[in-house]
Amino acid sequence: LFVWHHEYPPRILSLYALPEGNLVQRFEPGYGGEIRWTPHLTLCHTWGAGTNVTNVALYDCDGNGVGVRIADTLLFSPSSAYVVDYPSWRWVGNQELRIISLADLSIVAAHARPDGLSVIHDIRWESNEAVVLSYETDDGRETNERIPVAIENE
């Protein structure tokens, strides 16, 4: 169980062991945002850092930092075991759509920018097996592309 104390900065996070209710750890994540458990028994902390910039930090059950990653736009998988990190509505340059594990913030899959992509309209998880990218092409066509996600033990 975690309790995130919002009263006064800095915000404090307390971790408790259940069912006893013993305090395991108390620490300061340092920023606001959102915190959630993952199936990997890590705490995922996300917070904004400007337009279309998101920071992701992971903590283990003892409150130790596992890692930090800067992302563009995030979408959690249905199981909350992974996030898809993708460029904002205009996908420029050589950025990749990346699937990131919330066990250790490693990139477990990546997909290059589709040819002719002009504007992203929607990205959604299709169960835990694929990400569907809906976008408009340079010539105005609406396109849906299914991107399989080959992740073991999802």
Side-chain angles (χ1 to χ4, degrees):
L1 170 73
F2 73 83
V3 176
W4 200 14
H5 309 277
H6 286 272
E7 295 89 27
Y8 302 102
R11 293 186 175 168
I12 296 172
L13 189 70
S14 298
L15 300 176
Y16 294 90
L18 295 179
E20 300 83 18
N22 299 329
L23 178 66
V24 174
Q25 185 62 269
R26 182 170 283 152
F27 65 100
E28 298 174 12
Y31 299 96
E34 296 181 13
I35 295 180
R36 69 172 71 193
W37 284 108
T38 76
H40 304 291
L41 296 180
T42 56
L43 282 167
C44 179
H45 179 200
T46 57
W47 69 97
T51 304
N52 294 322
V53 177
T54 305
N55 289 298
V56 182
L58 285 181
Y59 306 99
D60 65 17
C61 291
D62 293 321
N64 300 310
V66 174
V68 176
R69 176 178 287 281
I70 297 174
D72 204 337
T73 306
L74 296 178
L75 180 64
F76 285 84
S77 68
S79 67
S80 291
Y82 300 92
V83 293
V84 59
D85 169 20
Y86 61 96
S88 56
W89 66 278
R90 285 248 182 235
W91 191 339
V92 296
N94 294 324
Q95 296 170 302
E96 294 179 316
L97 178 146
R98 301 175 297 179
I99 308 298
I100 299 171
S101 168
L102 293 180
D104 58 8
L105 294 180
S106 62
I107 297 171
V108 296
H111 185 73
R113 180 183 189 271
D115 290 335
L117 181 144
S118 177
V119 177
I120 296 172
H121 292 295
D122 186 42
I123 293 183
R124 67 185 185 282
W125 282 91
E126 186 179 88
S127 69
N128 286 309
E129 298 171 1
V131 172
V132 178
L133 175 63
S134 300
Y135 60 94
E136 184 177 323
T137 61
D138 293 331
D139 60 5
R141 289 181 298 115
E142 296 290 325
T143 303
N144 290 315
E145 184 173 342
R146 185 177 187 275
I147 303 166
V149 178
I151 302 171
E152 294 181 24
N153 302 320
E154 174 60 38

